[in-house]
Amino acid sequence: ANTDAQDAICAKVIFTGHMMEIINAADRAFAEASLFDQNPPMKNWPADHNWKVMELHPTSIFVLYHYGGADDVPLDDYYKASPQPAPPHYQQIAVMPRVNIPRPETQQHEQMARWMVHILSWGVLHTISTNLDGAPFGHVVSFSDADASGRIFVYMTKMSPSLRDVDTNPWVSLSLSEAQVVSQFKDGLPCRGEIAEEPTCARLTLSGKLEKVSQSEITLARNSVFGRHRTMWRWPKNHKFEFYELKVAQIFFIDFYGGVKPMSTKQYLQAKVQNGIIEAWNDLYLPEELFAGSGTKCSSTIFPWVMSGFLVAAVAILVLFFYQRRRRAEYMQVEIKDSEKDTVQSGIRSQGGSFTTD
């Protein structure tokens, strides 16, 4: 809570391994019972669609939940762990900001894709891993679409394994799901009462090259990203964070039955979407003028307290200034008295007299 999805303390677990179909009848029955318990709508999916029950056999588990770097969890330790009972399906606290933009109609594919990109603030960035022998690697990143333009900017550190992958192969994919949208939750389930894998729960994957933002567009990227993610500005400078843009070249989109909906990059970018107000969830807000041109209004919840802090600091500085000035004046008066006394004593000596001091 009160942080950003990309922040290290927002826990993330990444499983890498092999997906294999479950053939054994007993194992399949166990897996189906588990799936149907967690995802009730699956029970009603068409039987003639030739569904397969698959199992992920992990070969690597990557965990990030604190500052100082990620941890590789040994498989034996993972399977030996005893977690707390899972909450009912989808009964979790969502970390998405609420939006005031209505959902486009189902057949408006381009507008729907742009709506998702605009209202969502984080997704999963997939790279070809250099550490896992070319296996796919997904990493949570926060992004912004620059005033509902459809362009995608991110703020990433060179310490990220994803950027090390990009140095070798710049082609990436960013996956988004309508299941992340809080305003579409109903009865504890996303997508108006469905589950994330349901075709009517829109899914979008944007693929292309991830490129460092040019110097001429740094201001645009900074205003866009910091305007949406208001804690990023205080992330450590020595971690070498930089702005990058995903240059969209291919689009995978589903929002209804019937398979993937063809969509070109030109159609995606030309679609119109309302530039709405995002109710950010971060504790710390910055003055709106710092984000000129970002198109995102800043809340003033914390700003009065910040200004009060500045006022207290200013008063303290003034008190210290006048105190030092008074001390300086007293010191000057002592110096004047000593100088006058020296003058008198010098006059008495020149006349051959004597004197005593107090």
Side-chain angles (χ1 to χ4, degrees), residues 240-278:
K240 299 180 180 179
F241 280 95
E242 292 183 306
F243 295 99
Y244 293 81
E245 180 179 2
L246 171 56
K247 301 286 189 177
V248 180
Q250 295 180 340
I251 301 170
F252 174 95
F253 179 74
I254 293 178
D255 70 340
F256 201 69
Y257 306 109
V260 178
K261 306 301 185 292
M263 187 186 309
S264 67
T265 303
K266 182 177 180 180
Q267 291 172 322
Y268 163 79
L269 291 173
Q270 287 182 344
K272 302 298 181 182
V273 63
Q274 178 185 347
N275 185 10
I277 300 172
I278 302 296

Side-chain angles (χ1 to χ4, degrees), residues 182-197:
V182 172
S183 62
Q184 300 299 308
F185 270 61
K186 178 183 177 182
D187 299 329
L189 288 170
C191 296
R192 303 158 304 283
E194 295 292 347
I195 60 174
E197 197 176 343

Side-chain angles (χ1 to χ4, degrees), residues 149-278:
S149 66
R151 298 176 65 183
I152 297 174
F153 293 99
V154 297
Y155 186 57
M156 299 179 67
T157 170
K158 285 290 187 180
M159 300 169 66
S160 166
S162 296
L163 276 190
R164 292 196 292 269
D165 297 340
V166 169
D167 287 340
T168 301
N169 184 346
W171 282 89
V172 303
S173 293
L174 179 69
S175 294
L176 311 175
S177 171
E178 190 183 359
Q180 299 167 255
V181 183
V182 172
S183 62
Q184 300 299 308
F185 270 61
K186 178 183 177 182
D187 299 329
L189 288 170
C191 296
R192 303 158 304 283
E194 295 292 347
I195 60 174
E197 197 176 343
E198 181 72 28
T200 56
C201 187
R203 281 169 276 167
L204 175 66
T205 298
L206 304 170
S207 301
K209 290 184 177 181
L210 190 69
E211 299 180 356
K212 186 177 176 180
V213 172
S214 64
Q215 192 61 39
S216 62
E217 293 197 302
I218 286 292
T219 299
L220 171 65
R222 182 178 61 248
N223 290 346
S224 174
V225 175
F226 287 0
R228 177 69 66 91
H229 304 278
R230 315 251 173 95
T231 60
M232 283 187 171
W233 69 273
R234 61 185 181 188
W235 287 1
K237 303 302 180 184
N238 61 352
H239 282 203
K240 299 180 180 179
F241 280 95
E242 292 183 306
F243 295 99
Y244 293 81
E245 180 179 2
L246 171 56
K247 301 286 189 177
V248 180
Q250 295 180 340
I251 301 170
F252 174 95
F253 179 74
I254 293 178
D255 70 340
F256 201 69
Y257 306 109
V260 178
K261 306 301 185 292
M263 187 186 309
S264 67
T265 303
K266 182 177 180 180
Q267 291 172 322
Y268 163 79
L269 291 173
Q270 287 182 344
K272 302 298 181 182
V273 63
Q274 178 185 347
N275 185 10
I277 300 172
I278 302 296

Side-chain angles (χ1 to χ4, degrees), residues 243-348:
F243 295 99
Y244 293 81
E245 180 179 2
L246 171 56
K247 301 286 189 177
V248 180
Q250 295 180 340
I251 301 170
F252 174 95
F253 179 74
I254 293 178
D255 70 340
F256 201 69
Y257 306 109
V260 178
K261 306 301 185 292
M263 187 186 309
S264 67
T265 303
K266 182 177 180 180
Q267 291 172 322
Y268 163 79
L269 291 173
Q270 287 182 344
K272 302 298 181 182
V273 63
Q274 178 185 347
N275 185 10
I277 300 172
I278 302 296
E279 298 177 9
W281 64 94
N282 295 319
D283 261 349
L284 181 61
Y285 297 82
L286 297 178
E288 189 167 341
E289 56 267 23
L290 295 184
F291 299 94
S294 68
T296 305
K297 292 186 177 180
C298 298
S299 169
S300 59
T301 305
I302 301 300
F303 186 60
W305 294 96
V306 175
M307 291 304 298
S308 298
F310 281 125
L311 181 59
V312 171
V315 171
I317 291 173
L318 286 173
V319 170
L320 180 61
F321 171 78
F322 285 112
Y323 174 77
Q324 291 180 334
R325 185 173 179 180
R326 180 179 175 182
R327 291 294 303 275
R328 176 71 174 171
E330 291 175 350
Y331 179 76
M332 291 295 293
Q333 289 177 0
V334 171
E335 284 191 330
I336 291 173
K337 289 181 179 180
D338 289 343
S339 178
E340 292 174 347
K341 184 180 292 185
D342 290 342
T343 302
V344 172
Q345 292 173 350
S346 297
I348 293 174

Side-chain angles (χ1 to χ4, degrees), residues 42-216:
M42 281 186 173
K43 297 178 182 179
N44 302 319
W45 286 0
D48 59 354
H49 280 210
N50 193 29
W51 298 104
K52 295 183 178 181
V53 181
M54 312 291 290
E55 180 179 1
L56 172 62
H57 295 266
T59 56
S60 170
I61 303 177
F62 177 95
V63 179
L64 179 63
Y65 65 98
H66 58 77
Y67 300 120
D71 299 312
D72 289 313
V73 178
L75 296 181
D76 289 342
D77 292 349
Y78 168 76
Y79 286 112
K80 290 177 182 177
S82 299
Q84 295 295 321
H89 54 82
Y90 288 103
Q91 302 267 333
Q92 71 262 23
I93 299 175
V95 294
M96 274 303 308
R98 295 183 180 274
V99 296
N100 64 345
I101 310 171
R103 184 183 190 272
E105 298 295 330
T106 299
Q107 299 304 316
Q108 297 177 310
H109 306 312
E110 294 81 9
Q111 287 82 358
M112 185 65 186
R114 288 284 301 278
W115 177 78
M116 291 177 65
V117 168
H118 183 52
I119 65 173
L120 295 175
S121 65
W122 64 272
V124 179
L125 187 74
H126 307 275
T127 59
I128 302 300
S129 175
T130 56
N131 295 326
L132 299 172
D133 299 323
F137 182 81
H139 195 62
V140 170
V141 295
S142 299
F143 68 90
S144 182
D145 69 339
D147 288 348
S149 66
R151 298 176 65 183
I152 297 174
F153 293 99
V154 297
Y155 186 57
M156 299 179 67
T157 170
K158 285 290 187 180
M159 300 169 66
S160 166
S162 296
L163 276 190
R164 292 196 292 269
D165 297 340
V166 169
D167 287 340
T168 301
N169 184 346
W171 282 89
V172 303
S173 293
L174 179 69
S175 294
L176 311 175
S177 171
E178 190 183 359
Q180 299 167 255
V181 183
V182 172
S183 62
Q184 300 299 308
F185 270 61
K186 178 183 177 182
D187 299 329
L189 288 170
C191 296
R192 303 158 304 283
E194 295 292 347
I195 60 174
E197 197 176 343
E198 181 72 28
T200 56
C201 187
R203 281 169 276 167
L204 175 66
T205 298
L206 304 170
S207 301
K209 290 184 177 181
L210 190 69
E211 299 180 356
K212 186 177 176 180
V213 172
S214 64
Q215 192 61 39
S216 62

